[in-house]
Amino acid sequence: MGKLKLSDRQLYALIEAVKLGEEVKPSQQAKRKAFAKYKIEGWENSKLTGIFYSVQRRLGLIDEIIEELVGVSPLILDPWLRATLRVAVEIAVFRDPNQKTLQHLKGLAQFLSRRTHPYVGYYYYDLLPKVIDYVPKLDSEEKRLKWDYLFPEWFIGKMKSLLGDEAEELLKALNETLSVSLRVNLLKASVEEVEDYLRERNVRFERSGRIETVLRILDPFNPEWLFNKGWAIAQEEAAAVASLVLAPRPGETVVDLAAAPGGKTAHMAELMNNEGRIYAFDVDGARIKRMREVLRRAGVEIAETIRADGRKAPELLGEGIADRVMLDAPCTSDGTIAKNPELRWRLREKNIPKVVELQKELIESAWELLKPGGRLLYSTCSMLKEENEDVVGWFLERHGDARLVPLRDPYDEGFLKGTMRAWPHRHGTIGFFYALIEKESK
């Protein structure tokens, strides 16, 4: 491998993508917007995409280096300076740039002066030699593991406690970029129609071996047309499994307690042949707006979107009204790190109890909504036992009329018998947990 060669334009695109990535989620949307501005296409796109995601994966480490050199948290720096330093650290510390690229890094002082203030440019110019000469002090096992796997030390410890030596395979898998996954919306198109569309455009794909309506896209491809037509919805295989596990039937009443952005609501409507009723709750107005658009495009006719906290659902709808309740609970989302690499550095161990408290309150609301004989799916995209088996175990102890419906397919048993887990390193999808709970008939 030769030394890394980057032009001014490529550096500008990376900096704008990193800066925009703080404001726009998901991060790939920020990257697409910034790269389009600088006309980054083809091989350039592949090269810079790798660097962009590397910055996101290493963000916590990069910020630690900046803090060491600057003396304050990078979070209080000018946003343009912060983004430029993050890109400079990625290139100078973690890669092997040629002399021309190092010169271009120095030239970013002028870029910064134009974007903000000349003093910011001077400050960056003075700091850059320290960035280029930086050598890490890996004086403990914890620091070495953090540098190897790019995760907070507490998270590494928790995964080791769950998986032992296998934790390293998981950490490696979370550092790999997942292919984009689509779920074909059978209300609007067949799997074959979507596959034909992709073949006509010479886009390589593979059908999921577990769910035939899920396709993994193997080439760079913008699926906007498919989304706009309602032929497909962006959804990972493990997320699509949730609706299949709950298995709502035509004519039933279903409540989705944390529904946005609407992928599972749309999937359930499809499984119900657009017959019955779905009440889709979410607290966030912007997310509700996006969900309504997703449902409209998908041809969903039976969903009523409600902007309200799911904990208020029994009060708003009445108790014992639902045949099925979907609770894909708000969580730390650590199972999605391969898709959202910057998330790993936003994880805070101290936040877990607060998240768990919300999950417990929501599952109690879900239970109040459920008819005798009805079923509740509790799921998360977290791999932390505290948010999964521990919540379900706590709930089952409180409710003598609740029983677990054992889940065996298509993934592995969880740490509580009858529950199920999808693991990124074993199943090639996001991390996910499932517990199907039935309310006994009176």
Side-chain angles (χ1 to χ4, degrees):
M1 289 276 289
K3 286 181 176 287
L4 177 65
K5 184 179 174 184
L6 291 172
S7 68
D8 285 333
R9 181 176 62 89
Q10 291 168 338
L11 286 170
Y12 300 162
L14 281 169
I15 291 165
E16 294 219 15
V18 169
K19 180 179 178 291
L20 201 57
E22 292 193 75
E23 305 153 24
V24 175
K25 303 295 176 214
S27 55
Q28 57 258 43
Q29 202 176 317
K31 174 189 75 82
R32 277 202 294 266
K33 194 172 177 183
F35 284 13
K37 177 179 174 181
Y38 287 94
K39 296 184 168 52
I40 303 295
E41 296 166 349
W43 66 268
E44 263 192 322
N45 192 320
S46 300
K47 177 180 176 179
L48 297 196
T49 293
I51 297 171
F52 172 78
Y53 282 124
S54 186
V55 171
Q56 303 297 335
R57 279 193 293 270
R58 282 198 252 262
L59 203 55
L61 277 184
I62 288 171
D63 281 359
E64 279 183 21
I65 293 168
I66 294 170
E67 186 161 349
E68 205 177 311
L69 296 175
V70 174
V72 296
S73 165
L75 300 179
I76 67 170
L77 298 176
D78 173 272
W80 282 107
L81 176 60
R82 181 166 59 243
T84 304
L85 284 172
R86 284 171 170 174
V87 170
V89 169
E90 168 67 28
I91 289 161
V93 176
F94 293 100
R95 294 178 182 264
D96 187 17
N98 66 8
Q99 281 303 313
K100 190 84 171 165
T101 302
L102 288 173
Q103 286 302 316
H104 289 318
L105 283 180
K106 286 178 185 171
L108 291 174
Q110 291 172 312
F111 171 82
L112 270 175
S113 295
R114 290 194 301 270
R115 288 290 186 284
T116 56
H117 190 281
Y119 287 151
V120 177
Y122 298 148
Y123 180 80
Y124 166 81
Y125 190 83
D126 285 345
L127 190 66
L128 187 63
K130 291 182 184 174
V131 173
I132 291 168
D133 294 338
Y134 182 83
V135 177
K137 300 182 194 74
L138 302 183
D139 51 7
S140 72
E141 176 69 1
E142 289 77 10
K143 281 187 183 173
R144 187 190 66 75
L145 284 170
K146 186 164 63 175
W147 274 69
D148 283 352
Y149 296 109
L150 308 172
F151 283 96
E153 290 160 38
W154 69 265
F155 182 78
I156 292 172
K158 284 193 180 289
M159 293 305 105
K160 277 188 150 189
S161 73
L162 292 180
L163 292 167
D165 292 342
E166 195 187 333
E168 293 206 13
E169 289 177 48
L170 169 66
L171 297 172
K172 282 176 196 165
L174 291 173
N175 279 314
E176 289 162 12
T177 305
L178 266 183
S179 302
V180 170
S181 283
L182 310 175
R183 180 179 55 75
V184 177
N185 172 30
L186 298 181
L187 292 175
K188 286 283 189 85
S190 67
V191 175
E192 290 72 25
E193 281 175 307
V194 174
E195 289 179 334
D196 287 345
Y197 174 85
L198 294 169
R199 283 192 198 100
E200 282 167 18
R201 279 144 192 81
N202 296 314
V203 176
R204 290 179 309 128
F205 63 89
E206 62 183 17
R207 203 185 280 197
S208 158
R210 298 182 184 94
I211 303 179
E212 61 177 19
T213 55
V214 171
L215 305 177
R216 290 193 182 93
I217 308 300
L218 307 177
D219 288 325
F221 169 68
N222 184 350
E224 215 52 43
W225 186 88
L226 288 170
F227 296 162
N228 289 339
K229 290 279 283 186
W231 283 25
I233 288 169
Q235 196 170 47
E236 291 302 317
E237 178 192 276
V241 164
S243 302
L244 295 173
V245 167
L246 186 58
R249 294 180 291 228
E252 289 188 329
T253 297
V254 177
V255 183
D256 191 343
L257 279 182
K264 294 180 187 68
T265 308
H267 195 185
M268 290 192 291
E270 175 196 301
L271 296 173
M272 295 163 72
N273 298 329
N274 252 337
E275 295 167 25
R277 195 78 185 144
I278 302 176
Y279 297 99
F281 281 78
D282 205 87
V283 287
D284 187 299
R287 283 166 62 84
I288 283 266
K289 191 177 174 186
R290 282 201 298 276
M291 174 165 66
R292 284 178 181 148
E293 184 59 22
V294 166
L295 298 177
R296 185 191 65 76
R297 289 175 182 177
V300 173
E301 297 164 1
I302 61 169
E304 180 184 336
T305 56
I306 301 169
R307 184 182 175 183
D309 189 319
R311 291 172 288 187
K312 297 268 194 324
E315 196 182 304
L316 294 170
L317 299 177
E319 295 185 13
I321 58 102
D323 299 288
R324 317 262 163 169
V325 179
M326 168 72 76
L327 174 53
D328 186 38
C331 66
T332 50
S333 304
D334 54 274
T336 70
I337 283 168
K339 284 183 68 64
N340 304 292
E342 71 279 13
L343 175 64
R344 72 187 69 207
W345 301 112
R346 294 207 302 271
L347 293 174
R348 296 283 183 275
E349 188 175 14
K350 66 179 184 186
N351 292 344
I352 296 170
K354 195 161 71 173
V355 174
V356 168
E357 190 55 39
L358 173 60
Q359 292 166 341
K360 287 178 175 178
E361 289 172 8
L362 281 166
I363 198 171
E364 288 288 359
S365 289
W367 198 244
E368 287 178 35
L369 290 164
L370 206 58
K371 293 175 182 175
R375 288 184 172 185
L376 153 68
L377 180 73
Y378 177 83
S379 65
T380 77
C381 54
S382 168
M383 296 177 291
L384 297 171
K385 191 165 172 283
E386 295 94 317
E387 298 184 69
N388 296 321
E389 289 89 350
D390 291 357
V391 170
V392 173
W394 169 88
F395 176 78
L396 292 173
E397 278 181 18
R398 289 166 61 87
H399 295 276
D401 58 344
R403 70 167 196 95
L404 271 179
V405 179
L407 300 175
R408 295 184 183 87
D409 282 325
Y411 301 124
D412 297 348
E413 188 164 73
F415 298 106
L416 175 64
K417 194 172 175 58
T419 63
M420 184 168 71
R421 278 177 172 253
W423 293 100
H425 64 298
R426 293 182 192 170
H427 305 116
T429 185
I430 57 175
F432 224 89
F433 172 81
Y434 315 80
L436 186 61
I437 305 169
E438 187 170 273
K439 184 181 271 194
E440 284 181 7
S441 299
K442 289 174 180 170

